Amino acid sequence: MSNKKELSELQVFKTVLYYCLVITVLPVLVFFISKIFIFDGLLGINSISSNVYSAGVTIVVLHIALGAYIYRAYFDERSKTEVKKD
């Protein structure tokens, strides 16, 4: 039983670590990729406007990542505790 609990705690740690990385790294990557390739390169928008548009895209991506984490934490079947039955 202890081994099962440790395995469950390890799985929870891996999930939280994964979402922490997604929430921190993905928005930064999306900002620079959208700024350099889409707004500066493809559309040719000036620097200040491309920063603002890239920040908007980053905010949307960050909210999607946070929503995915909250959804996973709330609706995950494995996170529900088992009730002890007599």
Side-chain angles (χ1 to χ4, degrees):
M1 181 152 182
S2 175
N3 191 20
K4 185 177 180 182
K5 183 178 179 181
E6 289 175 8
L7 183 62
S8 175
E9 289 176 1
L10 180 64
Q11 185 64 32
V12 169
F13 176 75
K14 286 181 181 179
T15 302
V16 170
L17 182 64
Y18 170 75
Y19 280 104
C20 284
L21 290 173
V22 167
I23 289 169
T24 57
V25 174
L26 187 64
V28 174
L29 289 175
V30 166
F31 176 82
F32 287 110
I33 289 171
S34 65
K35 177 179 174 22
I36 293 169
F37 294 114
I38 297 173
F39 297 117
D40 285 344
L42 187 64
L43 299 176
I45 299 175
N46 65 16
S47 181
I48 294 173
S49 295
S50 68
N51 284 340
V52 172
Y53 294 142
S54 297
V57 172
T58 301
I59 290 170
V60 170
V61 168
L62 177 62
H63 280 86
I64 290 170
L66 286 171
Y69 174 70
I70 292 169
Y71 181 83
R72 173 81 186 258
Y74 190 73
F75 290 110
D76 191 16
E77 293 296 323
R78 291 173 287 172
S79 67
K80 296 180 182 177
T81 57
E82 294 181 15
V83 178
K84 184 178 179 181
K85 296 181 182 178
D86 291 331

